[in-house]
Every structure is written in C-alpha cells, then in structure tokens.
Amino acid sequence: MADSLRRLVGAESGRVLQEKLESWYRDYEINSCDQNLNRCCEIIELNSEIQGQLFTILNETSQEGGHYAGVETIKTRLLPWLGTCFSCATSGRLFETNLSLARDSIEKERQLRELASNQTLQLQELQEELTSTRLQLDHVQQDLKTSCAREKDALRKLDRLNDYEQQIQILRDEISILDAQKSVLQSRFARSRSPFPRHSENKSPSPLPLRSCSPGRARRTNASRRACLVARFGDIYAQERLDAETLLRTYVSDMEMVQRIIYIAAVESFHAAKMAYRQFKIRVRETLSLGHSGPESLEDTVLDYVVRHEDLYDVQASVNEVIRSMNISPKISFPPEIDFIVISTLIRELCRVAFSMQTLIPPLDIAFGTDGELFSETKYHRSSDSDFTAALVAYHVWPALMENDVVIMKGEAVTKRGALWSHRSRSRSRSRSTSPLLSHHLSRSRSPSPLRSGSPSKWAY
C-alpha cells in the first residue's frame, strides 16, 4: 500500500489536476466550444487515472485490516458514494449514446452528401450522353432526309422513264395497227384496179406482222396485278362503301335499304364491267387479227393490248348502265327527286376494279347471292346487327370475291329470323324515269376504242 501511495504522491497527479482546472477556468470564456470540451475530456481522463490508483490503494488497505476490517467504513462512506457515481455513470452513458447518435447522424449526412454528389455526376454524364445521342439522331435524320430526297428524285425519274416507255409502246402498237390497216387498204385498192378481179380476190397480200415488244406481258404481271386488285377491292369495302352509306343516309332513313342499294350497285357494276370487257376484247381481237403474226398467240396479244390500254375503257358508259339498271330494280327504292348518281364515285371505282379483274388469268368475279339463301360461313361475315341463330340470309351487304368458285375475300350478310318474309310482304316493283342529271351523263357516253384519236374512222368502234 505504501508503494502505491508513494507513486501517487510522486506523480503529483493531484497538483496537475488542480493546475489544469485553474487553467481551464481562466481560459473558459475565451475558449471555443471544442476547446472547452477537449479540456474537460483531459481532466476527466486524468481524474480517472487518479481514481484508479486510489481504488488500488483502497483494496490493499482493506486487505491489511483482515477479513472483516473496514466493513463499516465501506458501508457508510464508499457505498453511498458509489451509488452517486452510478447515477453519474448512467448520465455519462446517455451522453455517450447521444454522442454516438450524433456521430451516426453526421456519418449518414456525409454519406448522403457523397451519394447526392455521385448522382449529380451521373446525371450530368447522362445529360451529356443524351445531348450526344440527340446530335447523332439529328445527323441520322438529316442523312435520311437526304437519302429520301434522292430516292424520291430517282423514283420520279423512273416513273417518267416508265411513262416514256409506255408511250413508246403505245405508239409502236398504233403504228403496227396502222400498218395492218394500210396493207388491207392497199390490197383492196389493188383488187379494185385489177383487170381480173375474180381471179385476184384470193391473192391479196397478207397484212404486215403486228409486232409486240413484250410478248406475254399480261401473264407475267398476272400475280402482281391480282394482288393489287384484291387489295383495292378490300379498300373499296372499307372506305368508299362507308362514304356511300353516309351519303345515302341523308336521303334514306332505313339502314337496310341503304345497304341493299350499295349491294345492288356492286352487283350491277360487276355485270356492266364484264359486258364492257367482252365487247372491248372482241373489237380488239377483230382489229389485231388483221396483222397478227409472231411467236405469241392472238389471244395473248389481245390480252396484252387490253392490259396496256385499260385507260380506253369507257367507265362512264358502265356507270350510266349501272344507274339505269338500279332505277328499275324491284328490290330497292329511292326518293324520286334524288338520283342514284349521288353514289357514282363508288360505282365508278367498282366498275374499274371489275374491268381490270377480267384481265386476270383466271378472272375474278363476285359470288351470286339471293335473299333467303342458306348462310355460308366460308362466303360471308355476319353483320353486327344479325341474328346469329338464324340460318338464312335476310339480305346482303357486300358480295364475296371469287376465283374459280374459291372464296378470295369474304363478303358481308345479315341474318334475321322472319326478316325475309316481312321484306317481301312490303316490297313492290318500281320503275323510275331517268333524271335530267342522268340523261346528261348518258348523252356524253362514248364507245370504247383501243385506237387513239387520229386513226381512220373505219377502224374505230
């Protein structure tokens, strides 16, 4: 014990503690908060060292007095003081806990600042990449615009070239026809001047050969023309038909009658176009047969000519024929002050498509349909207002497109129970006089001719 006490006295810890306290007291007012806290921590550390040494001396002193020596002193002096120390220790722990929480908060704030700084850097990098990407996209768009402009220019030149080639081909065909006509006229003139007409009748020179620059062209383009015509037929169903419905609804309030009118217009348009095609083809065959010679057959030559000269088809004459047929149809009615010519746009497009479909191999046609027929899932779609349990067709909305009895594109029909008989009971035949507007169009119709203007009138038809 004496050694421990001597070391404590020799270390002069108490004097140093006193000096530090006095120094801290003198400088307390001028010190900063951190400086005062550091001074306090130094004094606490020094006081702890002194307390440790004193507890060591207390332990050694109690051992020198025997087993029960100093018990009373410890009970009256030490234990109450220790209780007070425990309270102080608890306060110290709370301070340490608060200090730890403050440190954690400061650390978290530092981490958040670092995270925000990193995110700001990443955002700046993304913005730079976005700006760079936009610049690249602008360059690409500019290149695409330039390329598109070049392609459009090339396509325009190609279209002009195709037009030139088509015009050249038409001129060559017309020259060939004129040569054939000239040969026939020369032959007849020679027979009329011959002293022996009876013997020279069968010896007239044959017409000059009719050349074709693209034998079998119609057959080679058959697949592509077929695809375009089928697509165009679908477009008419989706666009022109609906436009005609909207227009007719301003004159006819009954939606069923509107749909019947459009269906009859489609059927009559195909009928008129097929008749016009047959007449057109017969006259072309009669003309080309005079000077035909070559590796291709006469039928192929005629078909090629018709395909190349579809613009000679007098579509207005077919439109007039369709309207005339609709005026006497017993299945449809229309206000007498209005003419079916109001849907002439639909009729005209149907006639053009129907005429072109006749040039295909095999030709395309529409299915024959009658009110009251058994509904066919392979031919028609049911309209949304149909009775889906009915088995018979009340009326048709749009015809199905056929190729050799095979459905290419479904039509549309309405099925209703009892609707067929109710319509028959209230339907009546009617015949409408041709309106002045229709008469004006009929007077302007012309006969189709494969020959251009300027050809001899003898060969026009």
Side-chain angles (χ1 to χ4, degrees):
M1 186 278 295
D3 293 337
S4 299
L5 184 57
R6 184 171 55 253
R7 286 195 298 271
L8 179 59
V9 174
E12 297 182 351
S13 301
R15 183 177 59 80
V16 174
L17 178 61
Q18 182 63 29
E19 291 177 355
K20 286 184 176 293
L21 286 172
E22 293 175 355
S23 175
W24 183 24
Y25 178 73
R26 288 192 304 269
D27 299 336
Y28 184 82
E29 296 297 335
I30 62 176
N31 288 339
S32 64
C33 180
D34 290 338
Q35 289 174 343
N36 288 328
L37 290 176
N38 288 330
R39 290 287 186 90
C40 184
C41 290
E42 290 177 1
I43 294 172
I44 289 173
E45 291 173 357
L46 183 58
N47 185 51
S48 298
E49 292 178 1
I50 295 173
Q51 284 183 353
Q53 293 175 1
L54 290 174
F55 273 104
T56 301
I57 296 172
L58 179 64
N59 185 33
E60 292 176 354
T61 303
S62 63
Q63 288 178 0
E64 290 177 355
H67 189 68
Y68 295 103
V71 174
E72 188 66 24
T73 303
I74 291 173
K75 288 171 63 178
T76 57
R77 297 291 302 276
L78 183 61
L79 291 180
W81 179 81
L82 288 176
T84 305
C85 290
F86 287 150
S87 298
C88 293
T90 302
S91 299
R93 284 195 299 273
L94 290 174
F95 174 76
E96 291 176 358
T97 302
N98 293 333
L99 182 61
S100 177
L101 292 175
R103 288 176 179 175
D104 293 341
S105 178
I106 293 172
E107 181 64 21
K108 288 182 179 179
E109 288 181 359
R110 184 186 63 81
Q111 292 177 357
L112 289 175
R113 285 196 298 270
E114 291 180 354
L115 181 60
S117 178
N118 293 334
Q119 290 179 348
T120 302
L121 292 176
Q122 292 177 358
L123 181 61
Q124 290 178 353
E125 292 177 356
L126 289 176
Q127 289 178 347
E128 292 176 356
E129 291 180 0
L130 180 60
T131 303
S132 177
T133 304
R134 286 178 177 173
L135 291 175
Q136 294 177 0
L137 182 60
D138 291 339
H139 290 310
V140 172
Q141 289 178 345
Q142 188 65 30
D143 293 341
L144 287 176
K145 289 180 180 178
T146 304
S147 301
C148 290
R150 293 176 180 174
E151 291 179 359
K152 289 181 179 179
D153 185 58
L155 289 176
R156 285 195 296 268
K157 292 180 179 179
L158 182 60
D159 290 339
R160 288 198 296 268
L161 180 60
N162 292 334
D163 292 339
Y164 294 152
E165 291 179 350
Q166 185 176 6
Q167 293 175 6
I168 292 173
Q169 181 62 39
I170 293 173
L171 292 175
R172 287 176 177 175
D173 292 339
E174 292 180 353
I175 291 173
S176 298
I177 294 173
L178 291 175
D179 289 341
Q181 296 170 0
K182 178 182 177 182
S183 176
V184 172
L185 291 175
Q186 288 177 346
S187 172
R188 291 179 180 178
F189 181 73
R191 286 199 304 269
S192 63
R193 297 184 60 183
S194 174
F196 305 101
R198 294 182 180 179
H199 298 284
S200 60
E201 279 181 353
N202 299 328
K203 295 183 181 180
S204 60
S206 61
L208 295 177
L210 180 63
R211 295 186 297 273
S212 175
C213 296
S214 55
R217 176 186 178 188
R219 293 183 180 274
R220 291 198 304 272
T221 61
N222 189 76
S224 60
R225 290 187 295 113
R226 177 184 180 278
C228 293
L229 290 172
V230 171
R232 179 59 185 141
F233 186 75
D235 292 339
I236 294 176
Y237 170 74
Q239 185 61 46
E240 280 85 348
R241 178 185 68 91
L242 297 180
D243 294 341
E245 277 189 4
T246 303
L247 183 59
L248 288 175
R249 286 302 296 269
T250 60
Y251 306 107
V252 182
S253 59
D254 186 5
M255 187 60 184
E256 175 182 339
M257 183 54 62
V258 169
Q259 292 177 335
R260 284 179 177 272
I261 290 173
I262 292 176
Y263 177 76
I264 294 297
V267 173
E268 294 295 339
S269 295
F270 266 79
H271 177 72
K274 287 190 293 184
M275 294 298 296
Y277 174 77
R278 293 191 188 102
Q279 297 173 4
F280 189 75
K281 190 175 181 181
I282 289 173
R283 294 175 181 179
V284 171
R285 184 186 293 109
E286 290 176 353
T287 302
L288 297 183
S289 63
L290 298 175
H292 172 71
S293 65
E296 69 277 6
S297 64
L298 175 61
E299 191 65 25
D300 286 344
T301 303
V302 171
L303 185 59
D304 288 346
Y305 186 92
V306 174
V307 170
R308 287 196 300 268
H309 299 83
E310 286 188 30
D311 57 320
L312 298 178
Y313 164 47
D314 189 358
V315 65
Q316 185 59 46
S318 296
V319 172
N320 295 339
E321 182 63 30
V322 171
I323 295 176
R324 186 186 300 111
S325 300
M326 293 176 67
N327 281 327
I328 61 175
S329 175
K331 293 185 178 181
I332 54 178
S333 60
F334 206 57
E337 67 275 7
I338 305 299
D339 201 279
F340 287 117
I341 202 167
V342 297
I343 58 171
S344 60
T345 300
L346 172 66
I347 298 173
R348 182 181 302 275
E349 294 303 315
L350 284 169
C351 288
R352 285 175 176 170
V353 170
F355 185 89
S356 298
M357 285 181 175
Q358 306 312 305
T359 65
L360 299 176
I361 306 172
L364 300 182
D365 200 355
I366 57 175
F368 176 76
T370 58
D371 294 348
E373 68 175 333
L374 186 65
F375 178 78
S376 174
E377 294 285 352
T378 60
K379 279 188 179 181
Y380 302 102
H381 297 288
R382 293 181 192 263
S383 295
S384 58
D385 57 343
S386 296
D387 183 352
F388 285 80
T389 61
L392 300 181
V393 174
Y395 63 93
H396 298 79
V397 177
W398 191 253
L401 189 62
M402 310 288 290
E403 181 184 60
N404 288 340
D405 298 328
V406 177
V407 178
I408 302 301
M409 183 178 295
K410 285 186 178 182
E412 183 178 346
V414 177
T415 56
K416 289 184 180 179
R417 294 183 179 274
L420 176 63
W421 305 112
S422 63
H423 174 74
R424 285 181 176 177
S425 64
R426 60 187 174 88
S427 64
R428 65 181 183 273
S429 300
R430 68 148 181 88
S431 177
R432 290 162 34 89
S433 60
T434 304
S435 68
L437 182 60
L438 178 61
S439 301
H440 174 69
H441 280 271
L442 290 175
S443 64
R444 297 179 58 188
S445 63
R446 59 182 176 85
S447 298
S449 171
L451 302 180
R452 296 291 183 181
S453 60
S455 300
S457 59
K458 182 177 182 179
W459 299 97
Y461 46 85

